[in-house]
Amino acid sequence: MSRVSLTQYLVEQQREHGHIPGELRLLIEVVARTCKRIAISVNKGALGDVLGSAGTANVQGEVQKKLDVIANELLLEANEWGGNLAAMASEEMDTIHLVPNRYPQGEYLLLYDPLDGSSNIDVNVSIGTIFSVLKKRGNQQGVSEADFLQPGNTQVAAGYCVYGPQTMLVLTVGDGVAMFTLDREMGSWSLTAENVRIPEDTKEFAINMSNMRHWAPPVRRYIDECLAGSTGVRKKDFNMRWVASMVADVHRILTRGGIFMYPWDQREPDKPGKLRLMYEANPMAFLVEQAGGAATNGRQRILDLQPGKLHERVSVILGSKNEVERVTGYHAQG
Ligand code: AHM
Ligand code: MG
């Protein structure tokens, strides 16, 4: 059976649906190709000397793993010469990375978390790459961090690659969500799911329960009610999953539904959350909404938040629509 390749899918989006210009298609293809290279490094593990710490810290003070650094470098190198980008930003870089003068500059901005779920690298659990594409506004020369500070509803494409039992690329260009599986013999991405839909209801939640005593009352109420099961107000039993790799948790939700939360908690009251808005929450929120789900910070739609800085953090509640609306409603009640 011949399957649709990523290139075919994108050309169709470009030609028949008019969703994406050629430059954006090429840019997505470069990101997808780089994910294949990252997958090779991830798969080598100890054989490739890629496990363990790099001995450095990123701008948020987190210790970088060797694979965080390798994946970041691979994405930088692959994307700087293509001519479609103006600049890049990453979880692993303090400031934006301009396309060097020797290459032509395009009008797109690429943001990424090169290797999400870093705590899972050394223990052989699924990890991933998350990316978001914005378009530079205005036609002034040069590019600065301010050009990146656009709300998520302006994203022109977003996706992730999950390095799990299968390596999969999950993508939206604003026309639903498509999933591609890496065919290792062919070295190509094959379309394996299209028009992905998240069921509106679910009986499965994902949250790091060890933080329970620090949560705000609305989150605590929601989880307490789930835990009460069929004898409580929800009148049904819930299941729990927590991979500690957002890509893997979101992938499960896109596949069979569920709700994912990494909420604000009172340990550091001034910190809005753990996850980063621009290269973690926004691309995931775009995918989830495109699949019929919802994503809020408890009070507002994530995609409508105006970022104040590149590495801004945010509280995240996303997944099956009715559950996200319930938790968001609990926040509105006080
Ligand atoms: P990272 O970008 O440093 O890997 O951190 C983000 C990850 C998410 O993938 C995941 O949902 C979360 O951190 C897990 O956090 P915790 O270890 O607190 O459960
Ligand atoms: Mg991350």
Side-chain angles (χ1 to χ4, degrees):
M1 177 179 132
S2 89
R3 289 191 179 269
V4 172
S5 69
L6 173 66
T7 303
Q8 262 174 296
Y9 174 85
L10 290 172
V11 167
E12 213 158 277
Q13 288 290 330
Q14 179 186 344
R15 200 186 285 157
E16 285 171 31
H17 306 293
H19 278 122
I20 54 168
E23 293 80 12
L24 179 56
R25 171 172 72 80
L26 292 170
L27 162 51
I28 294 170
E29 293 214 49
V30 174
V31 173
R33 207 175 305 134
T34 315
C35 287
K36 284 194 240 174
R37 295 192 58 187
I38 298 172
I40 291 168
S41 286
V42 167
N43 292 157
K44 283 208 166 106
L47 301 176
D49 191 26
V50 295
L51 301 183
S53 161
T56 48
N58 66 13
V59 64
Q60 11 243 332
E62 298 156 346
V63 173
Q64 291 176 304
K65 297 285 172 82
K66 282 185 195 165
L67 270 172
D68 286 325
V69 176
I70 292 168
N72 190 55
E73 289 295 321
L74 286 172
L75 282 160
L76 274 185
E77 274 169 30
N79 282 289
E80 55 179 23
W81 51 268
N84 304 310
L85 276 179
M88 289 175 260
S90 152
E91 179 177 326
E92 305 303 336
M93 298 188 296
D94 302 8
T95 53
I96 64 169
H97 178 91
L98 302 178
V99 167
N101 286 333
R102 60 185 182 280
Y103 301 123
Q105 264 204 20
E107 51 184 354
Y108 291 102
L109 305 169
L110 175 67
L111 294 111
Y112 52 83
D113 178 353
L115 211 69
D116 184 61
S118 301
S119 71
N120 282 325
I121 295 175
D122 295 346
V123 292
N124 199 6
V125 171
S126 295
I127 47 183
T129 299
I130 311 174
F131 65 93
S132 160
V133 186
L134 298 169
K135 200 168 175 193
K136 199 175 146 227
R137 289 161 160 176
N139 44 15
Q140 81 285 9
Q141 284 292 305
V143 52
S144 70
E145 184 171 318
D147 291 301
F148 282 82
L149 303 181
Q150 304 180 31
N153 58 32
T154 64
Q155 290 174 103
V156 291
Y160 63 79
C161 179
V162 57
Y163 311 108
Q166 302 116 42
T167 296
M168 290 183 73
L169 183 79
V170 178
L171 176 72
T172 183
V173 291
D175 182 33
V177 175
M179 296 184 172
F180 302 84
T181 304
L182 181 61
D183 181 331
R184 287 183 189 278
E185 281 78 45
M186 304 296 287
S188 60
W189 296 107
S190 290
L191 183 68
T192 44
E194 219 177 345
N195 300 321
V196 172
R197 301 305 290 171
I198 300 175
E200 291 189 356
D201 293 297
T202 182
K203 293 202 279 189
E204 198 162 66
F205 64 85
I207 193 165
N208 185 336
M209 291 287 288
S210 69
N211 297 327
M212 188 176 218
R213 68 191 183 285
H214 306 298
W215 295 338
V219 174
R220 187 136 194 170
R221 171 181 171 192
Y222 176 77
I223 295 296
D224 280 346
E225 290 177 0
C226 292
L227 295 177
S230 55
T231 56
V233 290
R234 300 299 309 274
K235 297 191 170 36
K236 57 182 182 180
D237 291 327
F238 280 77
N239 186 24
M240 193 202 90
R241 286 285 183 278
W242 184 249
V243 184
S245 283
M246 193 193 198
V247 275
D249 281 313
V250 170
H251 193 74
R252 185 187 59 256
I253 287 170
L254 283 169
T255 308
R256 70 176 188 209
I259 180 168
F260 169 96
M261 292 189 269
Y262 212 119
W264 170 92
D265 73 41
Q266 63 196 16
R267 280 170 298 178
E268 291 179 76
D270 295 335
K271 194 168 146 184
K274 172 179 179 179
L275 300 173
R276 273 57 52 124
L277 174 61
M278 299 211 63
Y279 41 79
E280 292 179 325
N282 272 344
M284 292 310 200
F286 190 16
L287 287 165
V288 164
E289 284 200 4
Q290 283 291 314
T296 76
N297 67 353
R299 304 198 176 269
Q300 287 161 279
R301 181 182 177 225
I302 285 183
L303 294 181
D304 288 339
L305 298 173
Q306 172 60 49
K309 55 181 190 203
L310 200 56
H311 297 289
E312 187 161 314
R313 294 179 191 259
V314 66
S315 173
V316 175
I317 298 163
L318 59 77
S320 291
K321 200 162 188 255
N322 292 339
E323 295 299 307
V324 173
E325 282 173 1
R326 176 181 282 268
V327 187
T328 307
Y330 288 178
H331 282 78
Q333 286 168 28

